[in-house]
Amino acid sequence: MQQYYVDYTVNNKIVEFNKEQQHHLCRVLRIKENDQVYVVDESNTKYLVSLHLEDTVYGEVVETVPLQSELPVRTYIAQGLIKGDRWDYFIQKSVEFGASDIIPLQMKRNVVKVEKDNEKKLQRWSKIALEAAEQSKRDIRPQVHPVMNLK
């Protein structure tokens, strides 16, 4: 069953999806009325949601699902930056393996140089981590921190 993360806490029994998620549900998965997916909200609560199709796709909470697939400890991985698309692959596999936080390190002799305020790369890395978490049905949303150094 597909899983999505939303950027808010589900207070009422209605779940709203963003445009990208709606596109994925309608065009890629070709959902039908009353199909079900899992949704994890900002407070790391997992819900089973029944989908409804109108002008937009929205979901109605069927039940709260207990969290089961997380490690008992938070796992941090601090890794020196890697050239090319290998860094993206590293983020993906780390999240699938169970890392909850990834800390990119700018080392003294790294070939890769990233500006500390490079928000665009950080957003891209966070999106890769989020998609990997959705694919592996993680209960928490992994976080990619800004680039740091050992000092």
mmCIF file of all heavy atoms in Angstrom, residues 32-78:
data_model
loop_
_atom_site.group_PDB
_atom_site.id
_atom_site.type_symbol
_atom_site.label_atom_id
_atom_site.label_comp_id
_atom_site.label_asym_id
_atom_site.label_seq_id
_atom_site.Cartn_x
_atom_site.Cartn_y
_atom_site.Cartn_z
ATOM 1 N N LYS A 32 -8.860 4.839 -7.637
ATOM 2 C CA LYS A 32 -10.307 4.861 -7.787
ATOM 3 C C LYS A 32 -10.915 5.329 -6.471
ATOM 4 O O LYS A 32 -10.245 5.362 -5.443
ATOM 5 C CB LYS A 32 -10.817 3.469 -8.150
ATOM 6 C CG LYS A 32 -10.321 2.988 -9.499
ATOM 7 C CD LYS A 32 -10.798 1.566 -9.758
ATOM 8 C CE LYS A 32 -10.341 1.055 -11.092
ATOM 9 N NZ LYS A 32 -8.919 0.980 -11.276
ATOM 10 N N GLU A 33 -12.184 5.679 -6.515
ATOM 11 C CA GLU A 33 -12.900 6.104 -5.318
ATOM 12 C C GLU A 33 -12.772 5.029 -4.233
ATOM 13 O O GLU A 33 -12.899 3.833 -4.508
ATOM 14 C CB GLU A 33 -14.371 6.333 -5.667
ATOM 15 C CG GLU A 33 -15.184 6.957 -4.572
ATOM 16 C CD GLU A 33 -14.904 8.433 -4.366
ATOM 17 O OE1 GLU A 33 -14.401 9.099 -5.290
ATOM 18 O OE2 GLU A 33 -15.184 8.905 -3.265
ATOM 19 N N ASN A 34 -12.509 5.454 -3.014
ATOM 20 C CA ASN A 34 -12.395 4.613 -1.814
ATOM 21 C C ASN A 34 -11.157 3.714 -1.780
ATOM 22 O O ASN A 34 -11.082 2.825 -0.931
ATOM 23 C CB ASN A 34 -13.653 3.761 -1.603
ATOM 24 C CG ASN A 34 -14.859 4.616 -1.307
ATOM 25 O OD1 ASN A 34 -14.756 5.624 -0.629
ATOM 26 N ND2 ASN A 34 -16.004 4.230 -1.846
ATOM 27 N N ASP A 35 -10.166 3.919 -2.674
ATOM 28 C CA ASP A 35 -8.882 3.242 -2.504
ATOM 29 C C ASP A 35 -8.247 3.764 -1.221
ATOM 30 O O ASP A 35 -8.547 4.871 -0.771
ATOM 31 C CB ASP A 35 -7.955 3.516 -3.687
ATOM 32 C CG ASP A 35 -8.306 2.680 -4.913
ATOM 33 O OD1 ASP A 35 -9.196 1.818 -4.805
ATOM 34 O OD2 ASP A 35 -7.685 2.895 -5.971
ATOM 35 N N GLN A 36 -7.338 2.979 -0.644
ATOM 36 C CA GLN A 36 -6.751 3.374 0.630
ATOM 37 C C GLN A 36 -5.237 3.513 0.538
ATOM 38 O O GLN A 36 -4.584 2.774 -0.197
ATOM 39 C CB GLN A 36 -7.108 2.350 1.718
ATOM 40 C CG GLN A 36 -8.591 2.321 2.023
ATOM 41 C CD GLN A 36 -8.933 1.353 3.123
ATOM 42 O OE1 GLN A 36 -8.202 0.412 3.387
ATOM 43 N NE2 GLN A 36 -10.058 1.590 3.782
ATOM 44 N N VAL A 37 -4.698 4.480 1.279
ATOM 45 C CA VAL A 37 -3.261 4.706 1.385
ATOM 46 C C VAL A 37 -2.940 5.025 2.849
ATOM 47 O O VAL A 37 -3.839 5.314 3.636
ATOM 48 C CB VAL A 37 -2.772 5.869 0.484
ATOM 49 C CG1 VAL A 37 -2.972 5.564 -0.975
ATOM 50 C CG2 VAL A 37 -3.426 7.174 0.854
ATOM 51 N N TYR A 38 -1.658 4.966 3.181
ATOM 52 C CA TYR A 38 -1.207 5.405 4.496
ATOM 53 C C TYR A 38 -0.739 6.840 4.389
ATOM 54 O O TYR A 38 -0.147 7.248 3.390
ATOM 55 C CB TYR A 38 -0.044 4.550 5.010
ATOM 56 C CG TYR A 38 -0.435 3.147 5.392
ATOM 57 C CD1 TYR A 38 0.111 2.059 4.731
ATOM 58 C CD2 TYR A 38 -1.340 2.909 6.417
ATOM 59 C CE1 TYR A 38 -0.238 0.765 5.084
ATOM 60 C CE2 TYR A 38 -1.691 1.620 6.770
ATOM 61 C CZ TYR A 38 -1.145 0.559 6.103
ATOM 62 O OH TYR A 38 -1.495 -0.717 6.451
ATOM 63 N N VAL A 39 -0.978 7.622 5.447
ATOM 64 C CA VAL A 39 -0.518 9.006 5.517
ATOM 65 C C VAL A 39 0.148 9.209 6.870
ATOM 66 O O VAL A 39 -0.404 8.827 7.902
ATOM 67 C CB VAL A 39 -1.691 9.998 5.346
ATOM 68 C CG1 VAL A 39 -1.231 11.413 5.598
ATOM 69 C CG2 VAL A 39 -2.303 9.877 3.968
ATOM 70 N N VAL A 40 1.347 9.792 6.858
ATOM 71 C CA VAL A 40 2.061 10.129 8.084
ATOM 72 C C VAL A 40 2.093 11.644 8.176
ATOM 73 O O VAL A 40 2.524 12.324 7.240
ATOM 74 C CB VAL A 40 3.493 9.561 8.088
ATOM 75 C CG1 VAL A 40 4.228 9.956 9.360
ATOM 76 C CG2 VAL A 40 3.471 8.055 7.927
ATOM 77 N N ASP A 41 1.608 12.183 9.292
ATOM 78 C CA ASP A 41 1.560 13.632 9.425
ATOM 79 C C ASP A 41 2.805 14.176 10.114
ATOM 80 O O ASP A 41 3.742 13.440 10.403
ATOM 81 C CB ASP A 41 0.273 14.088 10.116
ATOM 82 C CG ASP A 41 0.214 13.714 11.589
ATOM 83 O OD1 ASP A 41 1.158 13.090 12.097
ATOM 84 O OD2 ASP A 41 -0.791 14.056 12.228
ATOM 85 N N GLU A 42 2.792 15.471 10.368
ATOM 86 C CA GLU A 42 3.950 16.168 10.927
ATOM 87 C C GLU A 42 4.316 15.671 12.326
ATOM 88 O O GLU A 42 5.474 15.702 12.723
ATOM 89 C CB GLU A 42 3.634 17.662 10.959
ATOM 90 C CG GLU A 42 4.780 18.539 11.291
ATOM 91 C CD GLU A 42 4.400 19.999 11.218
ATOM 92 O OE1 GLU A 42 3.367 20.368 11.806
ATOM 93 O OE2 GLU A 42 5.133 20.750 10.570
ATOM 94 N N SER A 43 3.332 15.191 13.070
ATOM 95 C CA SER A 43 3.598 14.710 14.430
ATOM 96 C C SER A 43 3.935 13.213 14.452
ATOM 97 O O SER A 43 3.881 12.584 15.503
ATOM 98 C CB SER A 43 2.382 14.975 15.318
ATOM 99 O OG SER A 43 1.268 14.242 14.851
ATOM 100 N N ASN A 44 4.277 12.654 13.273
ATOM 101 C CA ASN A 44 4.647 11.236 13.121
ATOM 102 C C ASN A 44 3.540 10.288 13.579
ATOM 103 O O ASN A 44 3.799 9.277 14.221
ATOM 104 C CB ASN A 44 5.954 10.923 13.855
ATOM 105 C CG ASN A 44 7.136 11.581 13.189
ATOM 106 O OD1 ASN A 44 7.121 11.837 12.000
ATOM 107 N ND2 ASN A 44 8.157 11.871 13.962
ATOM 108 N N THR A 45 2.317 10.633 13.235
ATOM 109 C CA THR A 45 1.176 9.757 13.471
ATOM 110 C C THR A 45 0.766 9.184 12.121
ATOM 111 O O THR A 45 0.643 9.918 11.144
ATOM 112 C CB THR A 45 -0.006 10.524 14.092
ATOM 113 O OG1 THR A 45 0.460 11.200 15.252
ATOM 114 C CG2 THR A 45 -1.127 9.579 14.462
ATOM 115 N N LYS A 46 0.561 7.873 12.090
ATOM 116 C CA LYS A 46 0.255 7.200 10.830
ATOM 117 C C LYS A 46 -1.242 6.885 10.770
ATOM 118 O O LYS A 46 -1.817 6.391 11.746
ATOM 119 C CB LYS A 46 1.069 5.903 10.750
ATOM 120 C CG LYS A 46 1.076 5.237 9.418
ATOM 121 C CD LYS A 46 2.056 4.063 9.457
ATOM 122 C CE LYS A 46 2.302 3.470 8.114
ATOM 123 N NZ LYS A 46 3.311 2.408 8.167
ATOM 124 N N TYR A 47 -1.850 7.183 9.616
ATOM 125 C CA TYR A 47 -3.279 6.979 9.424
ATOM 126 C C TYR A 47 -3.529 6.115 8.191
ATOM 127 O O TYR A 47 -2.795 6.204 7.206
ATOM 128 C CB TYR A 47 -4.001 8.314 9.206
ATOM 129 C CG TYR A 47 -3.848 9.296 10.338
ATOM 130 C CD1 TYR A 47 -2.894 10.309 10.280
ATOM 131 C CD2 TYR A 47 -4.659 9.217 11.455
ATOM 132 C CE1 TYR A 47 -2.760 11.214 11.307
ATOM 133 C CE2 TYR A 47 -4.529 10.116 12.493
ATOM 134 C CZ TYR A 47 -3.586 11.120 12.416
ATOM 135 O OH TYR A 47 -3.448 12.005 13.451
ATOM 136 N N LEU A 48 -4.581 5.338 8.251
ATOM 137 C CA LEU A 48 -5.107 4.666 7.070
ATOM 138 C C LEU A 48 -6.195 5.589 6.535
ATOM 139 O O LEU A 48 -7.113 5.963 7.269
ATOM 140 C CB LEU A 48 -5.687 3.301 7.432
ATOM 141 C CG LEU A 48 -6.282 2.503 6.274
ATOM 142 C CD1 LEU A 48 -5.201 2.168 5.237
ATOM 143 C CD2 LEU A 48 -6.930 1.232 6.779
ATOM 144 N N VAL A 49 -6.071 5.974 5.254
ATOM 145 C CA VAL A 49 -6.939 6.995 4.681
ATOM 146 C C VAL A 49 -7.666 6.433 3.463
ATOM 147 O O VAL A 49 -7.049 5.795 2.609
ATOM 148 C CB VAL A 49 -6.095 8.233 4.278
ATOM 149 C CG1 VAL A 49 -6.918 9.245 3.538
ATOM 150 C CG2 VAL A 49 -5.453 8.847 5.504
ATOM 151 N N SER A 50 -8.954 6.692 3.386
ATOM 152 C CA SER A 50 -9.760 6.330 2.228
ATOM 153 C C SER A 50 -9.823 7.539 1.300
ATOM 154 O O SER A 50 -10.142 8.652 1.740
ATOM 155 C CB SER A 50 -11.164 5.933 2.683
ATOM 156 O OG SER A 50 -11.965 5.627 1.574
ATOM 157 N N LEU A 51 -9.525 7.344 0.015
ATOM 158 C CA LEU A 51 -9.417 8.455 -0.928
ATOM 159 C C LEU A 51 -10.746 8.747 -1.609
ATOM 160 O O LEU A 51 -11.526 7.843 -1.910
ATOM 161 C CB LEU A 51 -8.365 8.135 -1.982
ATOM 162 C CG LEU A 51 -6.953 7.922 -1.439
ATOM 163 C CD1 LEU A 51 -6.034 7.431 -2.525
ATOM 164 C CD2 LEU A 51 -6.420 9.188 -0.813
ATOM 165 N N HIS A 52 -10.966 10.055 -1.856
ATOM 166 C CA HIS A 52 -12.168 10.502 -2.553
ATOM 167 C C HIS A 52 -11.756 11.405 -3.697
ATOM 168 O O HIS A 52 -10.873 12.257 -3.547
ATOM 169 C CB HIS A 52 -13.099 11.243 -1.598
ATOM 170 C CG HIS A 52 -13.561 10.388 -0.463
ATOM 171 N ND1 HIS A 52 -14.505 9.402 -0.613
ATOM 172 C CD2 HIS A 52 -13.180 10.349 0.839
ATOM 173 C CE1 HIS A 52 -14.712 8.803 0.548
ATOM 174 N NE2 HIS A 52 -13.908 9.353 1.445
ATOM 175 N N LEU A 53 -12.389 11.240 -4.834
ATOM 176 C CA LEU A 53 -12.066 12.006 -6.036
ATOM 177 C C LEU A 53 -13.179 13.006 -6.316
ATOM 178 O O LEU A 53 -14.324 12.622 -6.510
ATOM 179 C CB LEU A 53 -11.922 11.071 -7.237
ATOM 180 C CG LEU A 53 -10.929 9.925 -7.086
ATOM 181 C CD1 LEU A 53 -11.057 8.965 -8.245
ATOM 182 C CD2 LEU A 53 -9.528 10.474 -6.999
ATOM 183 N N GLU A 54 -12.837 14.263 -6.314
ATOM 184 C CA GLU A 54 -13.758 15.319 -6.740
ATOM 185 C C GLU A 54 -12.936 16.240 -7.626
ATOM 186 O O GLU A 54 -12.238 15.759 -8.497
ATOM 187 C CB GLU A 54 -14.365 16.018 -5.527
ATOM 188 C CG GLU A 54 -15.352 15.131 -4.781
ATOM 189 C CD GLU A 54 -15.963 15.812 -3.583
ATOM 190 O OE1 GLU A 54 -15.708 17.017 -3.362
ATOM 191 O OE2 GLU A 54 -16.710 15.146 -2.853
ATOM 192 N N ASP A 55 -12.998 17.547 -7.398
ATOM 193 C CA ASP A 55 -12.133 18.458 -8.149
ATOM 194 C C ASP A 55 -10.680 18.214 -7.777
ATOM 195 O O ASP A 55 -9.788 18.327 -8.607
ATOM 196 C CB ASP A 55 -12.500 19.909 -7.863
ATOM 197 C CG ASP A 55 -13.889 20.250 -8.383
ATOM 198 O OD1 ASP A 55 -14.354 19.547 -9.305
ATOM 199 O OD2 ASP A 55 -14.497 21.198 -7.874
ATOM 200 N N THR A 56 -10.456 17.899 -6.516
ATOM 201 C CA THR A 56 -9.122 17.531 -6.036
ATOM 202 C C THR A 56 -9.226 16.176 -5.337
ATOM 203 O O THR A 56 -10.315 15.701 -5.039
ATOM 204 C CB THR A 56 -8.584 18.571 -5.033
ATOM 205 O OG1 THR A 56 -9.460 18.605 -3.908
ATOM 206 C CG2 THR A 56 -8.456 19.939 -5.661
ATOM 207 N N VAL A 57 -8.091 15.604 -5.067
ATOM 208 C CA VAL A 57 -8.062 14.340 -4.334
ATOM 209 C C VAL A 57 -7.907 14.674 -2.856
ATOM 210 O O VAL A 57 -7.037 15.446 -2.472
ATOM 211 C CB VAL A 57 -6.876 13.464 -4.794
ATOM 212 C CG1 VAL A 57 -6.826 12.175 -4.000
ATOM 213 C CG2 VAL A 57 -6.975 13.172 -6.273
ATOM 214 N N TYR A 58 -8.763 14.118 -2.031
ATOM 215 C CA TYR A 58 -8.617 14.268 -0.591
ATOM 216 C C TYR A 58 -8.896 12.929 0.061
ATOM 217 O O TYR A 58 -9.425 12.014 -0.560
ATOM 218 C CB TYR A 58 -9.519 15.367 -0.031
ATOM 219 C CG TYR A 58 -10.991 15.037 -0.045
ATOM 220 C CD1 TYR A 58 -11.602 14.471 1.063
ATOM 221 C CD2 TYR A 58 -11.774 15.284 -1.173
ATOM 222 C CE1 TYR A 58 -12.945 14.158 1.061
ATOM 223 C CE2 TYR A 58 -13.114 14.978 -1.192
ATOM 224 C CZ TYR A 58 -13.699 14.422 -0.071
ATOM 225 O OH TYR A 58 -15.028 14.107 -0.086
ATOM 226 N N GLY A 59 -8.499 12.801 1.310
ATOM 227 C CA GLY A 59 -8.670 11.538 2.008
ATOM 228 C C GLY A 59 -9.451 11.704 3.291
ATOM 229 O O GLY A 59 -9.434 12.769 3.910
ATOM 230 N N GLU A 60 -10.115 10.661 3.685
ATOM 231 C CA GLU A 60 -10.850 10.630 4.940
ATOM 232 C C GLU A 60 -10.207 9.565 5.829
ATOM 233 O O GLU A 60 -10.035 8.421 5.415
ATOM 234 C CB GLU A 60 -12.307 10.293 4.678
ATOM 235 C CG GLU A 60 -13.179 10.354 5.895
ATOM 236 C CD GLU A 60 -14.633 10.079 5.558
ATOM 237 O OE1 GLU A 60 -15.013 10.075 4.385
ATOM 238 O OE2 GLU A 60 -15.376 9.834 6.523
ATOM 239 N N VAL A 61 -9.856 9.942 7.055
ATOM 240 C CA VAL A 61 -9.166 9.038 7.969
ATOM 241 C C VAL A 61 -10.094 7.899 8.370
ATOM 242 O O VAL A 61 -11.209 8.120 8.832
ATOM 243 C CB VAL A 61 -8.666 9.791 9.221
ATOM 244 C CG1 VAL A 61 -8.073 8.828 10.228
ATOM 245 C CG2 VAL A 61 -7.653 10.852 8.829
ATOM 246 N N VAL A 62 -9.630 6.675 8.153
ATOM 247 C CA VAL A 62 -10.385 5.489 8.541
ATOM 248 C C VAL A 62 -9.977 5.059 9.943
ATOM 249 O O VAL A 62 -10.820 4.797 10.801
ATOM 250 C CB VAL A 62 -10.152 4.330 7.536
ATOM 251 C CG1 VAL A 62 -10.830 3.067 7.989
ATOM 252 C CG2 VAL A 62 -10.592 4.738 6.146
ATOM 253 N N GLU A 63 -8.651 5.002 10.181
ATOM 254 C CA GLU A 63 -8.159 4.609 11.497
ATOM 255 C C GLU A 63 -6.725 5.080 11.681
ATOM 256 O O GLU A 63 -6.018 5.373 10.725
ATOM 257 C CB GLU A 63 -8.227 3.091 11.680
ATOM 258 C CG GLU A 63 -7.309 2.314 10.760
ATOM 259 C CD GLU A 63 -7.353 0.815 11.005
ATOM 260 O OE1 GLU A 63 -7.392 0.408 12.171
ATOM 261 O OE2 GLU A 63 -7.335 0.076 10.018
ATOM 262 N N THR A 64 -6.306 5.150 12.930
ATOM 263 C CA THR A 64 -4.917 5.444 13.269
ATOM 264 C C THR A 64 -4.176 4.124 13.355
ATOM 265 O O THR A 64 -4.644 3.181 13.979
ATOM 266 C CB THR A 64 -4.834 6.186 14.608
ATOM 267 O OG1 THR A 64 -5.626 7.367 14.523
ATOM 268 C CG2 THR A 64 -3.404 6.555 14.930
ATOM 269 N N VAL A 65 -3.011 4.082 12.714
ATOM 270 C CA VAL A 65 -2.230 2.846 12.646
ATOM 271 C C VAL A 65 -1.040 2.976 13.584
ATOM 272 O O VAL A 65 -0.354 3.998 13.590
ATOM 273 C CB VAL A 65 -1.741 2.604 11.194
ATOM 274 C CG1 VAL A 65 -0.923 1.342 11.096
ATOM 275 C CG2 VAL A 65 -2.915 2.574 10.235
ATOM 276 N N PRO A 66 -0.775 1.966 14.416
ATOM 277 C CA PRO A 66 0.390 2.044 15.314
ATOM 278 C C PRO A 66 1.704 2.030 14.518
ATOM 279 O O PRO A 66 1.814 1.373 13.492
ATOM 280 C CB PRO A 66 0.263 0.802 16.194
ATOM 281 C CG PRO A 66 -0.649 -0.117 15.470
ATOM 282 C CD PRO A 66 -1.522 0.723 14.580
ATOM 283 N N LEU A 67 2.676 2.777 15.017
ATOM 284 C CA LEU A 67 3.988 2.825 14.387
ATOM 285 C C LEU A 67 4.753 1.558 14.723
ATOM 286 O O LEU A 67 4.863 1.194 15.887
ATOM 287 C CB LEU A 67 4.753 4.058 14.861
ATOM 288 C CG LEU A 67 4.061 5.401 14.645
ATOM 289 C CD1 LEU A 67 4.914 6.521 15.218
ATOM 290 C CD2 LEU A 67 3.782 5.646 13.185
ATOM 291 N N GLN A 68 5.296 0.896 13.697
ATOM 292 C CA GLN A 68 5.959 -0.380 13.947
ATOM 293 C C GLN A 68 7.310 -0.532 13.267
ATOM 294 O O GLN A 68 8.092 -1.382 13.649
ATOM 295 C CB GLN A 68 5.073 -1.531 13.460
ATOM 296 C CG GLN A 68 3.766 -1.626 14.168
ATOM 297 C CD GLN A 68 2.860 -2.669 13.554
ATOM 298 O OE1 GLN A 68 3.152 -3.199 12.490
ATOM 299 N NE2 GLN A 68 1.769 -2.965 14.211
ATOM 300 N N SER A 69 7.592 0.249 12.251
ATOM 301 C CA SER A 69 8.752 -0.071 11.420
ATOM 302 C C SER A 69 10.000 0.753 11.731
ATOM 303 O O SER A 69 10.907 0.802 10.923
ATOM 304 C CB SER A 69 8.397 0.100 9.941
ATOM 305 O OG SER A 69 8.148 1.458 9.661
ATOM 306 N N GLU A 70 10.056 1.388 12.897
ATOM 307 C CA GLU A 70 11.215 2.210 13.207
ATOM 308 C C GLU A 70 12.128 1.530 14.222
ATOM 309 O O GLU A 70 11.683 0.735 15.043
ATOM 310 C CB GLU A 70 10.783 3.569 13.745
ATOM 311 C CG GLU A 70 10.238 4.483 12.677
ATOM 312 C CD GLU A 70 11.210 4.751 11.547
ATOM 313 O OE1 GLU A 70 12.395 5.042 11.807
ATOM 314 O OE2 GLU A 70 10.779 4.650 10.397
ATOM 315 N N LEU A 71 13.399 1.878 14.141
ATOM 316 C CA LEU A 71 14.374 1.384 15.107
ATOM 317 C C LEU A 71 14.106 2.022 16.469
ATOM 318 O O LEU A 71 13.542 3.117 16.541
ATOM 319 C CB LEU A 71 15.785 1.755 14.636
ATOM 320 C CG LEU A 71 16.236 1.143 13.311
ATOM 321 C CD1 LEU A 71 17.551 1.764 12.875
ATOM 322 C CD2 LEU A 71 16.380 -0.354 13.447
ATOM 323 N N PRO A 72 14.512 1.391 17.564
ATOM 324 C CA PRO A 72 14.260 1.967 18.888
ATOM 325 C C PRO A 72 15.139 3.189 19.195
ATOM 326 O O PRO A 72 14.901 3.879 20.171
ATOM 327 C CB PRO A 72 14.568 0.812 19.844
ATOM 328 C CG PRO A 72 15.439 -0.106 19.082
ATOM 329 C CD PRO A 72 15.087 0.062 17.635
ATOM 330 N N VAL A 73 16.147 3.462 18.382
ATOM 331 C CA VAL A 73 17.019 4.624 18.573
ATOM 332 C C VAL A 73 17.062 5.437 17.291
ATOM 333 O O VAL A 73 16.837 4.919 16.208
ATOM 334 C CB VAL A 73 18.460 4.195 18.955
ATOM 335 C CG1 VAL A 73 18.483 3.508 20.290
ATOM 336 C CG2 VAL A 73 19.064 3.306 17.896
ATOM 337 N N ARG A 74 17.350 6.739 17.448
ATOM 338 C CA ARG A 74 17.545 7.574 16.257
ATOM 339 C C ARG A 74 18.955 7.342 15.727
ATOM 340 O O ARG A 74 19.914 7.326 16.492
ATOM 341 C CB ARG A 74 17.355 9.049 16.578
ATOM 342 C CG ARG A 74 15.909 9.433 16.717
ATOM 343 C CD ARG A 74 15.743 10.927 16.883
ATOM 344 N NE ARG A 74 15.969 11.697 15.677
ATOM 345 C CZ ARG A 74 15.037 11.990 14.768
ATOM 346 N NH1 ARG A 74 13.822 11.540 14.939
ATOM 347 N NH2 ARG A 74 15.306 12.724 13.725
ATOM 348 N N THR A 75 19.076 7.175 14.418
ATOM 349 C CA THR A 75 20.367 6.903 13.796
ATOM 350 C C THR A 75 20.809 8.120 12.999
ATOM 351 O O THR A 75 20.108 8.566 12.092
ATOM 352 C CB THR A 75 20.262 5.682 12.865
ATOM 353 O OG1 THR A 75 19.720 4.594 13.590
ATOM 354 C CG2 THR A 75 21.615 5.317 12.312
ATOM 355 N N TYR A 76 21.977 8.656 13.331
ATOM 356 C CA TYR A 76 22.560 9.795 12.630
ATOM 357 C C TYR A 76 23.713 9.284 11.777
ATOM 358 O O TYR A 76 24.537 8.505 12.249
ATOM 359 C CB TYR A 76 23.103 10.829 13.617
ATOM 360 C CG TYR A 76 22.037 11.515 14.432
ATOM 361 C CD1 TYR A 76 21.496 10.899 15.549
ATOM 362 C CD2 TYR A 76 21.575 12.773 14.087
ATOM 363 C CE1 TYR A 76 20.519 11.516 16.300
ATOM 364 C CE2 TYR A 76 20.598 13.403 14.831
ATOM 365 C CZ TYR A 76 20.075 12.775 15.938
ATOM 366 O OH TYR A 76 19.112 13.384 16.680
ATOM 367 N N ILE A 77 23.789 9.743 10.543
ATOM 368 C CA ILE A 77 24.918 9.407 9.682
ATOM 369 C C ILE A 77 25.560 10.711 9.234
ATOM 370 O O ILE A 77 24.906 11.545 8.606
ATOM 371 C CB ILE A 77 24.490 8.577 8.461
ATOM 372 C CG1 ILE A 77 23.924 7.237 8.901
ATOM 373 C CG2 ILE A 77 25.668 8.396 7.503
ATOM 374 C CD1 ILE A 77 23.487 6.346 7.770
ATOM 375 N N ALA A 78 26.827 10.890 9.581
ATOM 376 C CA ALA A 78 27.605 12.043 9.128
ATOM 377 C C ALA A 78 28.560 11.527 8.060
ATOM 378 O O ALA A 78 29.384 10.654 8.329
ATOM 379 C CB ALA A 78 28.367 12.671 10.284
#
